[in-house]
Amino acid sequence: MSSPAEFYNSLPPISKAYGTVCLLTTTASQLGLLNIFYIELLHEYVFKYFQVWRLFTNFFFLGKFSINFGIRLLMIARYGVQLEKGPFERRTADFLWMMIFGALSLLVLSAIPIFRTPFLGVSLVFMLLYVWSREFPNAQINIYGLVTLKAFYLPWAMLALDVIFGSELIPDLLGIIAGHLYYFLTVLHPLATGKVFLKTPMWVNKLVARYRIGAPSRPSSRSAAQSDRPTGVAFSGRSYRLSG
């Protein structure tokens, strides 16, 4: 059995980095070293006082130490890692772009008054969960030992549980919307039309290559027929994102 250090070192770079920053942010907040007011997404402060860092830092807070915080962190460690090691294996640039696109989509959605929320970290984690549920739709998931269901329905089940336990609905819903938008543009629409509108930008590939973060994207020569080949029991093999 591997030690915690060995497990941590085995994690893929993007999921490990994001989970680590979220843990450090909450720890600093709990110890009184960080006032979360200064990292909240407050639009008036962003546009009036040019505190643009709020557009980034709000994604790093998943809440104070609690059961919900632990669940969110485990979601990164499980679903984010499975995505990065599975469908996105040797496609670090594509995975990073998925996170960036998700963050940008959430920022746009959060500008709508009814969707405004001070922190979008939970939403970004829910986006990861949604994409994972579409990549592994037939995986059997047991929720708290009470019910077993297919992974395809997991985001909605988690949303329902959050509502039952008194958590806010909006962050989870935003994550589902952003996740579906990404999956539609990179998988469903290309499969239906053969046209790809959302490609990983070259600057993301260059960033990954320059700093040697994981692995660059695979060549974009995979055909739809190849992408339909199943690569595991649960993975449907439909994800064939192309890099630009």
Side-chain angles (χ1 to χ4, degrees), residues 125-199:
V125 172
F126 240 78
M127 180 203 172
L128 285 176
L129 172 64
Y130 184 90
V131 175
W132 177 87
S133 73
R134 293 307 181 263
E135 296 286 4
F136 299 87
N138 297 315
Q140 296 295 311
I141 302 297
N142 186 280
I143 301 180
Y144 303 137
L146 300 175
V147 62
T148 299
L149 73 165
K150 288 186 177 182
F152 187 86
Y153 304 105
L154 183 59
W156 300 105
M158 293 297 294
L159 182 148
L161 286 173
D162 280 350
V163 172
I164 292 173
F165 292 136
S167 298
E168 294 184 11
L169 169 68
I170 293 300
D172 296 0
L173 185 60
L174 286 177
I176 289 176
I177 294 173
H180 184 74
L181 178 62
Y182 174 81
Y183 195 72
F184 175 80
L185 292 175
T186 58
V187 177
L188 300 181
H189 187 268
L191 283 175
T193 65
K195 298 178 181 179
V196 181
F197 291 120
L198 185 65
K199 299 180 180 180

Side-chain angles (χ1 to χ4, degrees), residues 208-235:
V208 168
R210 179 175 181 179
Y211 293 99
R212 299 180 181 179
I213 307 171
S217 303
R218 292 173 180 170
S220 58
S221 58
R222 294 177 66 188
S223 65
Q226 287 176 313
S227 68
D228 284 334
R229 297 175 183 173
T231 57
V233 176
F235 174 46

Side-chain angles (χ1 to χ4, degrees), residues 8 11 49 56 63 77 90-92 109 113 121 124 135 142 155 180 197 208-209 211 219 232 235 243:
Y8 180 79
L11 298 176
Y49 301 109
F56 308 97
R90 297 192 60 78
R91 297 170 56 214
T92 304
L109 289 169
L124 191 59
E135 296 286 4
N142 186 280
H180 184 74
F197 291 120
V208 168
Y211 293 99
F235 174 46
S243 300

Side-chain angles (χ1 to χ4, degrees), residues 111-123:
I112 302 173
I114 62 171
F115 287 149
R116 287 200 173 177
T117 180
F119 297 102
L120 292 169
V122 171
S123 301

